Amino acid sequence: NKEGQAESWYIDLKEKGEVAKGTGPEGKKTDVTLSLSDDDFSKLISGKANAQRLFMAGKLKVKGDVMKATKMEPILKRAQTKAKL
């Protein structure tokens, strides 16, 4: 964030279909974790950045199931039409 502190958000696509602050639903294990700056996340959601390019440049780190991370692209593309950043 702007203060230089890390913040965590999660997207629950299995049960509730929600986005919330935190590292994941309480008592649940996450399948994949993406780490990137606020600026790069904003660009990714708005369609101004490509996840593969961010990853290759070392700006996006993936922890966990990489194959599930690749399935996020259609979800992010769909969010582009609704995101107001």
Side-chain angles (χ1 to χ4, degrees), residues 3-56:
E3 292 81 34
Q5 298 173 350
E7 290 186 303
S8 297
W9 294 82
Y10 70 88
I11 303 172
D12 178 357
L13 298 175
K14 286 183 178 179
E15 295 179 20
K16 296 182 181 178
E18 67 181 2
V19 176
K21 205 172 220 181
T23 57
E26 193 171 322
K28 304 280 182 175
K29 182 178 177 272
T30 57
D31 292 322
V32 64
T33 301
L34 306 177
S35 300
L36 65 162
S37 72
D38 287 350
D39 186 46
D40 288 331
F41 180 71
S42 177
K43 288 176 185 175
L44 185 62
I45 293 295
S46 66
K48 295 177 183 170
N50 177 285
Q52 289 178 336
R53 288 190 183 127
L54 289 173
F55 180 80
M56 296 304 256

Side-chain angles (χ1 to χ4, degrees), residues 60-75:
L60 169 65
K61 293 177 179 46
V62 179
K63 196 177 194 182
D65 190 338
V66 177
M67 291 309 293
K68 286 194 178 173
T70 62
K71 293 179 181 180
M72 291 290 295
E73 190 170 0
I75 295 164

